[in-house]
Amino acid sequence: MIIGVGIDVAEIERFGAALERTPGMAERLFVAGELLLPSGERRGVASLAARFAAKEALAKALGAPGGLRWTDAEVYVEESGQPRVRVRGSVAERAEVLGVRGWHVSLSHDAGVASAVVIAEG
């Protein structure tokens, strides 16, 4: 059963500018593993913008309650290349209240826009 669906978009250039002008913003939004590619190189702005959109979409799928911490949702990629989300803390607590048992996530970035869709399944 679908508990909730969320979608979000982020303008890549605008997101990158926000990261540049706000020291520490990336560390407030993302866990360490999200900032790096599997190779250990720093993840590009388009990829980070898609992860930011996924976190926004995830919050919407949970009904957009206050009090969710950005770093309590982590977007990662399986070896197959499929994106996934891992939740803990405030996000896991809200998901449990709603009966969420699994997540589906899709990320994209093209033409200057990053987007994400998240489905919370019960």
Side-chain angles (χ1 to χ4, degrees):
M1 172 174 64
I2 294 176
I3 304 287
V5 177
I7 184 170
D8 196 68
V9 298
E11 186 181 347
I12 296 168
E13 186 176 320
R14 182 176 174 201
F15 184 76
L19 288 176
E20 285 183 21
R21 83 173 163 268
T22 311
M25 181 177 170
E27 288 73 20
R28 285 193 304 273
L29 295 175
F30 305 107
V31 299
E34 291 174 303
L35 296 171
L36 301 175
L37 294 167
S39 66
E41 294 178 62
R42 186 142 175 108
R43 192 173 293 282
V45 171
S47 181
L48 289 175
R51 279 154 177 74
F52 175 75
K55 291 177 184 224
E56 287 278 352
L58 187 146
K60 291 173 183 176
L62 293 175
L68 299 181
R69 293 189 59 219
W70 291 104
T71 55
D72 283 348
E74 176 184 358
V75 179
Y76 68 98
V77 179
E78 292 186 336
E79 284 187 31
S80 66
Q82 183 175 9
R84 295 281 190 193
V85 293
R86 184 178 298 131
V87 299
R88 58 184 147 290
S90 62
V91 177
E93 289 168 12
R94 174 65 177 174
E96 185 177 344
V97 166
L98 295 175
V100 176
R101 301 174 118 195
W103 302 97
H104 303 274
V105 61
S106 181
L107 308 174
S108 185
H109 46 81
D110 189 29
V113 177
S115 62
V117 174
V118 173
I119 298 171
E121 183 178 17

